[in-house]
Amino acid sequence: MTVHPTIQPRPGILDIAPYVGGASTIEGANRSIKLSANENPHGPSEKAIEAYRAMSGELGLYPEDHTPLFDAIARVHGLDAKRIVLGNGSDELIAMLCKAYAGEGDEVLFSAHGFLMYRLSALGASATPVTVPEQDLCLDVDAMIGALNARTRLVFVANPNNPTGTMVGRAELERLADALPPQALLVIDSAYAEYLRPEEDDGALELAASRENVVTTRTFSKIYGLGALRIGWMHGPEHVCAVMHRVRGPFNVTRPALVAGLAAMADQAYVDHCRVTNEVWRDWLTKELNSVEGLSVTPSKGNFLLVHAGDRVAAFDAHLKSRGLIARLVGGYGLPEHIRISIGDETACRLVAEAARAFPAA
Ligand SMILES: *Cc1c(COP(=O)(O)O)cnc(C)c1O
């Protein structure tokens, strides 16, 4: 990398390894299925697509205020609309939280195999990223509490987590929130919350509604199938929302995103359908892959599986690719023996199972 002798960014920024997203094509293959970015294989609601198309005559106009989407989100989830902030994807909200609350000398905590954006955003703010060990690929709240100190400003917990698919329950999140030092904020990243059954809910929204030191983020990129449009939202105490509205760009969410998000939020029947379908095929594929010698799946609460393939993981990845199936190696997450496979549609899941069964034993 070329580093200029005198013109340099703030500390931390040159430590950021540029994010590499899930691959979407295989060289030489004419047909492939992308299972590397946890996208909804069924895409967004038809109503969201219609709303997006209908606004194509308004591309010359700046985005309008966020109130209609706040209201729609608040109605669906029973929240106070004034305590919602929209981001250009939840990635932007994560970056904004780091920018607003952490800087040089401050610590940003997350678990060993936590979502990569926490590290990148902490470094982007010149803060110190701190990884906390997990227990059986799951958040260890005791270890997290043990890592808290006077420098801790932010604690990020993805629940369920990507790429492990594991989660902790409501009582554990409350215990963590109770243990925070006075200057620290807990961020519960609920990018996959809509994939949970109602009885699996971790209470993140209620925590963010009732505590001064908890916020939660959600996204339209996963179950809502609107990754291209980049919309995420945060719910939290008034004092954090007020800060976020100061650091966000005035037009951070685009006009097409606002209208499509509104239509998508109004179509909860579609969300339910996607959740049920995902669960059916996730559970089916988990069993199928677990029955293959040498592969084992971490039980997942999301729309993806973390598959352990040991020292044959690169061979398994190549084998999947040879059949047009693009999964995601997760060495970058400290999991060099695992591969993450998104839950595709029925056809994709059957092709993955077939490929796994045909994977030559060591
Ligand atoms: C995909 C993902 C997000 C990012 O979502 P965007 O809203 O598309 O930025 C955030 N957190 C986790 C854990 C994710 O897996």
Side-chain angles (χ1 to χ4, degrees), residues 205-268:
L205 289 171
E206 283 103 331
L207 271 179
S210 60
R211 307 248 179 162
E212 289 291 300
N213 61 355
V214 180
V215 301
T216 184
T217 59
R218 295 224 181 178
T219 181
F220 282 88
S221 302
K222 302 287 156 63
I223 210 167
Y224 286 93
L226 290 172
L229 290 183
R230 315 302 305 123
I231 338 168
W233 54 276
M234 187 201 85
H235 171 56
E238 261 170 48
H239 71 96
V240 181
C241 293
V243 166
M244 295 289 272
H245 283 305
R246 284 174 166 79
V247 295
R248 78 175 176 85
F251 306 111
N252 64 327
V253 181
T254 69
R255 197 172 177 94
L258 290 169
V259 298
L262 189 60
M265 195 43 71
D267 191 359
Q268 288 297 310

Short mmCIF file of all heavy atoms in Angstrom, two decimals, residues 205-268:
data_model
loop_
_atom_site.label_atom_id
_atom_site.label_comp_id
_atom_site.label_asym_id
_atom_site.label_seq_id
_atom_site.Cartn_x
_atom_site.Cartn_y
_atom_site.Cartn_z
N LEU A 205 -36.02 -4.83 21.29
CA LEU A 205 -36.80 -3.60 21.09
C LEU A 205 -37.30 -3.05 22.42
O LEU A 205 -37.26 -1.84 22.65
CB LEU A 205 -37.97 -3.86 20.13
CG LEU A 205 -37.59 -4.08 18.66
CD1 LEU A 205 -38.80 -4.56 17.86
CD2 LEU A 205 -37.02 -2.81 18.03
N GLU A 206 -37.76 -3.94 23.31
CA GLU A 206 -38.23 -3.47 24.63
C GLU A 206 -37.07 -2.90 25.44
O GLU A 206 -37.22 -1.88 26.13
CB GLU A 206 -38.85 -4.61 25.44
CG GLU A 206 -40.26 -4.99 25.01
CD GLU A 206 -40.27 -6.26 24.20
OE1 GLU A 206 -39.23 -6.54 23.51
OE2 GLU A 206 -41.28 -6.97 24.23
N LEU A 207 -35.92 -3.56 25.35
CA LEU A 207 -34.76 -3.04 26.09
C LEU A 207 -34.40 -1.63 25.60
O LEU A 207 -34.13 -0.74 26.40
CB LEU A 207 -33.55 -3.95 25.87
CG LEU A 207 -33.34 -5.12 26.83
CD1 LEU A 207 -32.10 -5.91 26.44
CD2 LEU A 207 -33.20 -4.60 28.26
N ALA A 208 -34.40 -1.48 24.27
CA ALA A 208 -34.05 -0.17 23.70
C ALA A 208 -35.12 0.86 24.02
O ALA A 208 -34.84 2.06 24.07
CB ALA A 208 -33.85 -0.29 22.19
N ALA A 209 -36.34 0.40 24.26
CA ALA A 209 -37.43 1.33 24.60
C ALA A 209 -37.36 1.75 26.06
O ALA A 209 -37.82 2.82 26.43
CB ALA A 209 -38.79 0.69 24.30
N SER A 210 -36.80 0.87 26.91
CA SER A 210 -36.91 1.12 28.34
C SER A 210 -35.61 1.51 29.02
O SER A 210 -35.62 1.93 30.18
CB SER A 210 -37.49 -0.12 29.03
OG SER A 210 -36.65 -1.24 28.81
N ARG A 211 -34.48 1.36 28.33
CA ARG A 211 -33.19 1.68 28.97
C ARG A 211 -32.52 2.87 28.29
O ARG A 211 -32.62 3.03 27.08
CB ARG A 211 -32.24 0.48 28.85
CG ARG A 211 -32.83 -0.80 29.34
CD ARG A 211 -32.13 -1.24 30.57
NE ARG A 211 -32.73 -2.49 31.03
CZ ARG A 211 -32.14 -3.31 31.88
NH1 ARG A 211 -30.94 -3.04 32.32
NH2 ARG A 211 -32.76 -4.39 32.29
N GLU A 212 -31.78 3.59 29.06
CA GLU A 212 -31.05 4.74 28.53
C GLU A 212 -29.74 4.32 27.86
O GLU A 212 -29.07 5.13 27.23
CB GLU A 212 -30.73 5.71 29.68
CG GLU A 212 -31.95 6.44 30.21
CD GLU A 212 -32.49 7.45 29.20
OE1 GLU A 212 -31.75 8.36 28.83
OE2 GLU A 212 -33.65 7.29 28.77
N ASN A 213 -29.33 3.05 28.06
CA ASN A 213 -28.01 2.63 27.57
C ASN A 213 -28.07 1.47 26.58
O ASN A 213 -27.11 0.73 26.42
CB ASN A 213 -27.10 2.27 28.75
CG ASN A 213 -27.66 1.11 29.58
OD1 ASN A 213 -28.75 0.64 29.31
ND2 ASN A 213 -26.89 0.66 30.55
N VAL A 214 -29.23 1.31 25.92
CA VAL A 214 -29.37 0.24 24.92
C VAL A 214 -30.02 0.79 23.66
O VAL A 214 -31.03 1.50 23.74
CB VAL A 214 -30.24 -0.93 25.46
CG1 VAL A 214 -30.37 -2.04 24.40
CG2 VAL A 214 -29.66 -1.51 26.76
N VAL A 215 -29.43 0.46 22.51
CA VAL A 215 -30.11 0.73 21.23
C VAL A 215 -30.12 -0.58 20.45
O VAL A 215 -29.37 -1.50 20.75
CB VAL A 215 -29.39 1.81 20.38
CG1 VAL A 215 -29.29 3.13 21.14
CG2 VAL A 215 -28.02 1.35 19.93
N THR A 216 -31.01 -0.64 19.46
CA THR A 216 -31.02 -1.83 18.61
C THR A 216 -31.15 -1.39 17.16
O THR A 216 -31.76 -0.35 16.87
CB THR A 216 -32.15 -2.80 19.04
OG1 THR A 216 -32.08 -3.99 18.24
CG2 THR A 216 -33.53 -2.18 18.87
N THR A 217 -30.52 -2.14 16.28
CA THR A 217 -30.59 -1.81 14.85
C THR A 217 -31.25 -2.95 14.09
O THR A 217 -31.16 -4.12 14.47
CB THR A 217 -29.20 -1.58 14.25
OG1 THR A 217 -28.41 -2.75 14.42
CG2 THR A 217 -28.48 -0.40 14.89
N ARG A 218 -31.90 -2.58 13.00
CA ARG A 218 -32.52 -3.55 12.10
C ARG A 218 -32.23 -3.13 10.66
O ARG A 218 -31.78 -2.02 10.41
CB ARG A 218 -34.02 -3.63 12.34
CG ARG A 218 -34.37 -4.16 13.72
CD ARG A 218 -35.46 -5.15 13.64
NE ARG A 218 -35.85 -5.65 14.94
CZ ARG A 218 -36.83 -6.52 15.12
NH1 ARG A 218 -37.55 -6.93 14.08
NH2 ARG A 218 -37.12 -6.96 16.32
N THR A 219 -32.56 -4.02 9.75
CA THR A 219 -32.23 -3.74 8.36
C THR A 219 -33.33 -4.20 7.41
O THR A 219 -34.08 -5.13 7.72
CB THR A 219 -30.90 -4.41 7.97
OG1 THR A 219 -30.60 -4.08 6.61
CG2 THR A 219 -30.96 -5.93 8.10
N PHE A 220 -33.40 -3.54 6.26
CA PHE A 220 -34.28 -3.98 5.18
C PHE A 220 -33.52 -4.89 4.20
O PHE A 220 -34.06 -5.28 3.18
CB PHE A 220 -34.84 -2.76 4.43
CG PHE A 220 -35.97 -2.07 5.14
CD1 PHE A 220 -35.72 -1.08 6.07
CD2 PHE A 220 -37.30 -2.43 4.90
CE1 PHE A 220 -36.76 -0.44 6.73
CE2 PHE A 220 -38.34 -1.81 5.55
CZ PHE A 220 -38.08 -0.81 6.48
N SER A 221 -32.25 -5.16 4.52
CA SER A 221 -31.41 -5.90 3.56
C SER A 221 -31.58 -7.40 3.63
O SER A 221 -31.20 -8.11 2.70
CB SER A 221 -29.93 -5.59 3.82
OG SER A 221 -29.67 -4.22 3.73
N LYS A 222 -32.07 -7.92 4.72
CA LYS A 222 -32.10 -9.37 4.88
C LYS A 222 -33.50 -9.90 4.56
O LYS A 222 -33.80 -10.08 3.40
CB LYS A 222 -31.60 -9.74 6.27
CG LYS A 222 -30.16 -9.21 6.53
CD LYS A 222 -29.11 -9.98 5.77
CE LYS A 222 -27.81 -9.24 5.51
NZ LYS A 222 -27.03 -8.85 6.67
N ILE A 223 -34.39 -10.07 5.54
CA ILE A 223 -35.67 -10.70 5.18
C ILE A 223 -36.48 -9.83 4.22
O ILE A 223 -37.23 -10.35 3.40
CB ILE A 223 -36.50 -11.05 6.44
CG1 ILE A 223 -37.38 -12.28 6.13
CG2 ILE A 223 -37.36 -9.88 6.91
CD1 ILE A 223 -37.99 -12.93 7.34
N TYR A 224 -36.32 -8.51 4.30
CA TYR A 224 -37.10 -7.65 3.41
C TYR A 224 -36.59 -7.66 1.96
O TYR A 224 -37.22 -7.13 1.06
CB TYR A 224 -37.14 -6.21 3.94
CG TYR A 224 -38.05 -6.05 5.15
CD1 TYR A 224 -37.55 -6.15 6.44
CD2 TYR A 224 -39.41 -5.84 4.99
CE1 TYR A 224 -38.37 -6.03 7.55
CE2 TYR A 224 -40.26 -5.72 6.08
CZ TYR A 224 -39.73 -5.81 7.36
OH TYR A 224 -40.55 -5.69 8.45
N GLY A 225 -35.41 -8.22 1.77
CA GLY A 225 -34.91 -8.41 0.40
C GLY A 225 -34.57 -7.12 -0.32
O GLY A 225 -34.62 -7.07 -1.55
N LEU A 226 -34.21 -6.07 0.41
CA LEU A 226 -33.95 -4.77 -0.23
C LEU A 226 -32.49 -4.32 -0.05
O LEU A 226 -32.22 -3.12 0.08
CB LEU A 226 -34.90 -3.71 0.34
CG LEU A 226 -36.38 -3.85 -0.06
CD1 LEU A 226 -37.24 -2.87 0.74
CD2 LEU A 226 -36.57 -3.59 -1.55
N GLY A 227 -31.57 -5.26 -0.09
CA GLY A 227 -30.16 -4.93 0.11
C GLY A 227 -29.65 -3.86 -0.83
O GLY A 227 -28.81 -3.04 -0.46
N ALA A 228 -30.16 -3.85 -2.05
CA ALA A 228 -29.69 -2.88 -3.05
C ALA A 228 -30.00 -1.45 -2.63
O ALA A 228 -29.29 -0.52 -3.00
CB ALA A 228 -30.34 -3.18 -4.40
N LEU A 229 -31.08 -1.27 -1.89
CA LEU A 229 -31.52 0.09 -1.59
C LEU A 229 -30.86 0.70 -0.36
O LEU A 229 -30.93 1.91 -0.16
CB LEU A 229 -33.05 0.12 -1.43
CG LEU A 229 -33.82 -0.09 -2.73
CD1 LEU A 229 -35.31 0.01 -2.47
CD2 LEU A 229 -33.40 0.93 -3.78
N ARG A 230 -30.23 -0.13 0.48
CA ARG A 230 -29.52 0.37 1.65
C ARG A 230 -30.42 1.13 2.62
O ARG A 230 -30.44 2.36 2.66
CB ARG A 230 -28.34 1.29 1.24
CG ARG A 230 -27.46 0.81 0.09
CD ARG A 230 -26.83 -0.53 0.35
NE ARG A 230 -26.09 -0.56 1.59
CZ ARG A 230 -26.32 -1.44 2.58
NH1 ARG A 230 -27.25 -2.36 2.46
NH2 ARG A 230 -25.60 -1.40 3.66
N ILE A 231 -31.20 0.39 3.39
CA ILE A 231 -31.98 1.03 4.46
C ILE A 231 -31.85 0.20 5.73
O ILE A 231 -32.08 -1.01 5.73
CB ILE A 231 -33.51 1.11 4.25
CG1 ILE A 231 -33.88 1.02 2.78
CG2 ILE A 231 -34.11 2.35 4.93
CD1 ILE A 231 -35.36 0.80 2.58
N GLY A 232 -31.50 0.87 6.81
CA GLY A 232 -31.52 0.25 8.13
C GLY A 232 -32.17 1.22 9.09
O GLY A 232 -32.36 2.40 8.75
N TRP A 233 -32.54 0.73 10.26
CA TRP A 233 -33.10 1.65 11.26
C TRP A 233 -32.61 1.30 12.65
O TRP A 233 -32.22 0.16 12.90
CB TRP A 233 -34.62 1.72 11.20
CG TRP A 233 -35.41 0.44 11.30
CD1 TRP A 233 -35.70 -0.42 10.28
CD2 TRP A 233 -36.03 -0.11 12.48
NE1 TRP A 233 -36.47 -1.46 10.74
CE2 TRP A 233 -36.70 -1.29 12.09
CE3 TRP A 233 -36.12 0.30 13.82
CZ2 TRP A 233 -37.42 -2.09 12.98
CZ3 TRP A 233 -36.84 -0.50 14.71
CH2 TRP A 233 -37.48 -1.67 14.29
N MET A 234 -32.61 2.32 13.49
CA MET A 234 -32.20 2.14 14.87
C MET A 234 -33.33 2.60 15.77
O MET A 234 -34.03 3.58 15.46
CB MET A 234 -30.96 3.00 15.16
CG MET A 234 -30.35 2.78 16.53
SD MET A 234 -29.31 4.19 17.05
CE MET A 234 -30.55 5.27 17.76
N HIS A 235 -33.52 1.88 16.86
CA HIS A 235 -34.47 2.31 17.89
C HIS A 235 -33.69 2.46 19.18
O HIS A 235 -32.86 1.59 19.50
CB HIS A 235 -35.58 1.27 18.02
CG HIS A 235 -36.49 1.53 19.19
ND1 HIS A 235 -37.16 2.71 19.36
CD2 HIS A 235 -36.83 0.76 20.25
CE1 HIS A 235 -37.88 2.66 20.46
NE2 HIS A 235 -37.69 1.48 21.03
N GLY A 236 -33.93 3.54 19.90
CA GLY A 236 -33.20 3.72 21.14
C GLY A 236 -33.69 4.91 21.92
O GLY A 236 -34.67 5.56 21.54
N PRO A 237 -33.01 5.21 23.02
CA PRO A 237 -33.42 6.33 23.86
C PRO A 237 -33.28 7.66 23.12
O PRO A 237 -32.49 7.80 22.19
CB PRO A 237 -32.46 6.26 25.06
CG PRO A 237 -31.33 5.41 24.64
CD PRO A 237 -31.84 4.50 23.56
N GLU A 238 -34.06 8.64 23.57
CA GLU A 238 -34.08 9.94 22.90
C GLU A 238 -32.70 10.58 22.78
O GLU A 238 -32.37 11.18 21.77
CB GLU A 238 -34.99 10.90 23.67
CG GLU A 238 -36.37 11.02 23.07
CD GLU A 238 -37.31 11.78 23.97
OE1 GLU A 238 -36.92 12.87 24.45
OE2 GLU A 238 -38.43 11.28 24.19
N HIS A 239 -31.91 10.45 23.85
CA HIS A 239 -30.61 11.15 23.82
C HIS A 239 -29.72 10.59 22.71
O HIS A 239 -28.98 11.34 22.08
CB HIS A 239 -29.93 11.08 25.20
CG HIS A 239 -29.41 9.73 25.61
ND1 HIS A 239 -28.10 9.35 25.43
CD2 HIS A 239 -30.04 8.66 26.16
CE1 HIS A 239 -27.94 8.11 25.88
NE2 HIS A 239 -29.09 7.67 26.33
N VAL A 240 -29.81 9.28 22.42
CA VAL A 240 -28.99 8.71 21.34
C VAL A 240 -29.57 9.11 19.98
O VAL A 240 -28.82 9.49 19.06
CB VAL A 240 -28.89 7.17 21.44
CG1 VAL A 240 -28.02 6.62 20.31
CG2 VAL A 240 -28.32 6.75 22.80
N CYS A 241 -30.88 9.07 19.84
CA CYS A 241 -31.49 9.47 18.57
C CYS A 241 -31.10 10.91 18.22
O CYS A 241 -30.77 11.21 17.07
CB CYS A 241 -33.01 9.33 18.63
SG CYS A 241 -33.56 7.62 18.79
N ALA A 242 -31.10 11.78 19.21
CA ALA A 242 -30.76 13.19 18.98
C ALA A 242 -29.31 13.32 18.48
O ALA A 242 -29.02 14.12 17.58
CB ALA A 242 -30.95 14.00 20.27
N VAL A 243 -28.43 12.51 19.04
CA VAL A 243 -27.02 12.53 18.59
C VAL A 243 -26.92 12.00 17.16
O VAL A 243 -26.25 12.59 16.30
CB VAL A 243 -26.15 11.68 19.56
CG1 VAL A 243 -24.78 11.40 18.96
CG2 VAL A 243 -26.02 12.39 20.91
N MET A 244 -27.62 10.92 16.89
CA MET A 244 -27.55 10.31 15.55
C MET A 244 -28.08 11.26 14.48
O MET A 244 -27.56 11.32 13.37
CB MET A 244 -28.33 8.99 15.54
CG MET A 244 -27.74 7.93 16.45
SD MET A 244 -26.18 7.28 15.83
CE MET A 244 -26.80 5.96 14.79
N HIS A 245 -29.14 12.00 14.81
CA HIS A 245 -29.66 12.95 13.82
C HIS A 245 -28.68 14.09 13.55
O HIS A 245 -28.73 14.73 12.51
CB HIS A 245 -31.02 13.50 14.27
CG HIS A 245 -32.14 12.52 14.04
ND1 HIS A 245 -32.39 11.96 12.80
CD2 HIS A 245 -33.03 11.95 14.89
CE1 HIS A 245 -33.41 11.12 12.89
NE2 HIS A 245 -33.81 11.09 14.15
N ARG A 246 -27.78 14.34 14.51
CA ARG A 246 -26.75 15.36 14.27
C ARG A 246 -25.62 14.83 13.40
O ARG A 246 -25.07 15.56 12.59
CB ARG A 246 -26.17 15.84 15.60
CG ARG A 246 -27.09 16.78 16.33
CD ARG A 246 -26.53 17.10 17.71
NE ARG A 246 -27.20 18.23 18.30
CZ ARG A 246 -28.39 18.19 18.88
NH1 ARG A 246 -29.04 17.03 18.96
NH2 ARG A 246 -28.93 19.26 19.38
N VAL A 247 -25.27 13.56 13.56
CA VAL A 247 -24.12 13.06 12.77
C VAL A 247 -24.53 12.52 11.41
O VAL A 247 -23.69 12.39 10.52
CB VAL A 247 -23.28 11.99 13.52
CG1 VAL A 247 -22.62 12.59 14.75
CG2 VAL A 247 -24.07 10.76 13.87
N ARG A 248 -25.80 12.22 11.21
CA ARG A 248 -26.17 11.65 9.91
C ARG A 248 -26.24 12.71 8.83
O ARG A 248 -26.51 13.88 9.12
CB ARG A 248 -27.49 10.88 10.01
CG ARG A 248 -28.72 11.72 10.01
CD ARG A 248 -29.98 10.85 9.98
NE ARG A 248 -31.16 11.69 10.10
CZ ARG A 248 -31.75 12.27 9.06
NH1 ARG A 248 -31.29 12.12 7.85
NH2 ARG A 248 -32.82 13.04 9.25
N GLY A 249 -25.99 12.30 7.61
CA GLY A 249 -26.16 13.22 6.48
C GLY A 249 -27.64 13.51 6.33
O GLY A 249 -28.47 12.63 6.56
N PRO A 250 -28.00 14.72 5.94
CA PRO A 250 -29.42 15.06 5.86
C PRO A 250 -30.18 14.20 4.84
O PRO A 250 -31.38 13.98 4.98
CB PRO A 250 -29.41 16.53 5.46
CG PRO A 250 -28.04 16.83 4.98
CD PRO A 250 -27.12 15.86 5.63
N PHE A 251 -29.50 13.70 3.84
CA PHE A 251 -30.17 12.89 2.81
C PHE A 251 -29.56 11.49 2.75
O PHE A 251 -29.31 10.95 1.69
CB PHE A 251 -30.09 13.59 1.45
CG PHE A 251 -30.62 15.00 1.50
CD1 PHE A 251 -29.78 16.10 1.37
CD2 PHE A 251 -31.98 15.22 1.71
CE1 PHE A 251 -30.27 17.39 1.44
CE2 PHE A 251 -32.48 16.52 1.79
CZ PHE A 251 -31.63 17.61 1.66
N ASN A 252 -29.33 10.91 3.94
CA ASN A 252 -28.61 9.63 3.98
C ASN A 252 -29.41 8.45 3.46
O ASN A 252 -28.83 7.43 3.10
CB ASN A 252 -28.10 9.34 5.41
CG ASN A 252 -29.21 9.16 6.43
OD1 ASN A 252 -30.27 9.78 6.32
ND2 ASN A 252 -28.99 8.31 7.40
N VAL A 253 -30.72 8.59 3.42
CA VAL A 253 -31.55 7.50 2.87
C VAL A 253 -32.21 8.03 1.60
O VAL A 253 -32.80 9.12 1.60
CB VAL A 253 -32.61 7.03 3.89
CG1 VAL A 253 -33.44 5.91 3.31
CG2 VAL A 253 -31.94 6.58 5.19
N THR A 254 -32.09 7.28 0.52
CA THR A 254 -32.56 7.80 -0.77
C THR A 254 -34.08 7.75 -0.88
O THR A 254 -34.77 7.01 -0.17
CB THR A 254 -31.97 7.01 -1.95
OG1 THR A 254 -32.54 5.70 -1.94
CG2 THR A 254 -30.44 6.90 -1.85
N ARG A 255 -34.57 8.51 -1.81
CA ARG A 255 -36.02 8.57 -2.04
C ARG A 255 -36.59 7.21 -2.46
O ARG A 255 -37.61 6.78 -1.91
CB ARG A 255 -36.25 9.63 -3.13
CG ARG A 255 -37.64 10.14 -3.24
CD ARG A 255 -37.65 11.32 -4.23
NE ARG A 255 -39.01 11.78 -4.40
CZ ARG A 255 -39.53 12.78 -3.70
NH1 ARG A 255 -38.83 13.42 -2.80
NH2 ARG A 255 -40.79 13.14 -3.91
N PRO A 256 -35.96 6.50 -3.41
CA PRO A 256 -36.49 5.16 -3.74
C PRO A 256 -36.50 4.23 -2.52
O PRO A 256 -37.41 3.43 -2.34
CB PRO A 256 -35.52 4.63 -4.81
CG PRO A 256 -34.83 5.83 -5.35
CD PRO A 256 -34.81 6.86 -4.26
N ALA A 257 -35.48 4.36 -1.68
CA ALA A 257 -35.40 3.49 -0.50
C ALA A 257 -36.56 3.79 0.45
O ALA A 257 -37.17 2.87 1.01
CB ALA A 257 -34.07 3.71 0.21
N LEU A 258 -36.86 5.05 0.64
CA LEU A 258 -37.94 5.42 1.57
C LEU A 258 -39.29 4.88 1.09
O LEU A 258 -40.04 4.32 1.89
CB LEU A 258 -38.00 6.95 1.73
CG LEU A 258 -36.83 7.58 2.50
CD1 LEU A 258 -36.85 9.11 2.38
CD2 LEU A 258 -36.86 7.17 3.98
N VAL A 259 -39.57 5.00 -0.21
CA VAL A 259 -40.89 4.54 -0.67
C VAL A 259 -40.97 3.01 -0.71
O VAL A 259 -41.98 2.42 -0.33
CB VAL A 259 -41.30 5.13 -2.05
CG1 VAL A 259 -41.41 6.63 -1.98
CG2 VAL A 259 -40.36 4.72 -3.16
N ALA A 260 -39.89 2.37 -1.13
CA ALA A 260 -39.91 0.90 -1.17
C ALA A 260 -39.94 0.33 0.25
O ALA A 260 -40.63 -0.66 0.52
CB ALA A 260 -38.70 0.37 -1.94
N GLY A 261 -39.22 0.95 1.15
CA GLY A 261 -39.21 0.50 2.54
C GLY A 261 -40.59 0.61 3.17
O GLY A 261 -41.03 -0.28 3.90
N LEU A 262 -41.26 1.69 2.84
CA LEU A 262 -42.61 1.90 3.37
C LEU A 262 -43.56 0.79 2.89
O LEU A 262 -44.30 0.19 3.68
CB LEU A 262 -43.11 3.27 2.90
CG LEU A 262 -44.39 3.82 3.48
CD1 LEU A 262 -44.26 3.97 4.99
CD2 LEU A 262 -44.71 5.17 2.84
N ALA A 263 -43.49 0.49 1.59
CA ALA A 263 -44.35 -0.56 1.04
C ALA A 263 -43.98 -1.93 1.62
O ALA A 263 -44.85 -2.76 1.90
CB ALA A 263 -44.25 -0.57 -0.48
N ALA A 264 -42.69 -2.15 1.81
CA ALA A 264 -42.23 -3.43 2.34
C ALA A 264 -42.71 -3.62 3.78
O ALA A 264 -43.15 -4.70 4.18
CB ALA A 264 -40.72 -3.52 2.27
N MET A 265 -42.63 -2.55 4.55
CA MET A 265 -43.05 -2.61 5.96
C MET A 265 -44.54 -2.90 6.05
O MET A 265 -45.00 -3.59 6.96
CB MET A 265 -42.69 -1.28 6.63
CG MET A 265 -42.69 -1.21 8.13
SD MET A 265 -41.97 -2.52 9.12
CE MET A 265 -40.22 -2.39 8.90
N ALA A 266 -45.30 -2.38 5.07
CA ALA A 266 -46.75 -2.57 5.09
C ALA A 266 -47.14 -4.00 4.70
O ALA A 266 -48.28 -4.41 4.91
CB ALA A 266 -47.41 -1.58 4.14
N ASP A 267 -46.21 -4.75 4.15
CA ASP A 267 -46.54 -6.11 3.69
C ASP A 267 -45.94 -7.15 4.65
O ASP A 267 -45.04 -7.91 4.29
CB ASP A 267 -46.02 -6.30 2.26
CG ASP A 267 -46.55 -7.58 1.62
OD1 ASP A 267 -47.31 -8.31 2.29
OD2 ASP A 267 -46.21 -7.83 0.44
N GLN A 268 -46.48 -7.20 5.86
CA GLN A 268 -45.94 -8.13 6.85
C GLN A 268 -46.29 -9.58 6.52
O GLN A 268 -45.62 -10.51 6.98
CB GLN A 268 -46.44 -7.75 8.25
CG GLN A 268 -45.77 -6.48 8.79
CD GLN A 268 -44.26 -6.63 8.95
OE1 GLN A 268 -43.78 -7.58 9.54
NE2 GLN A 268 -43.51 -5.68 8.40
#
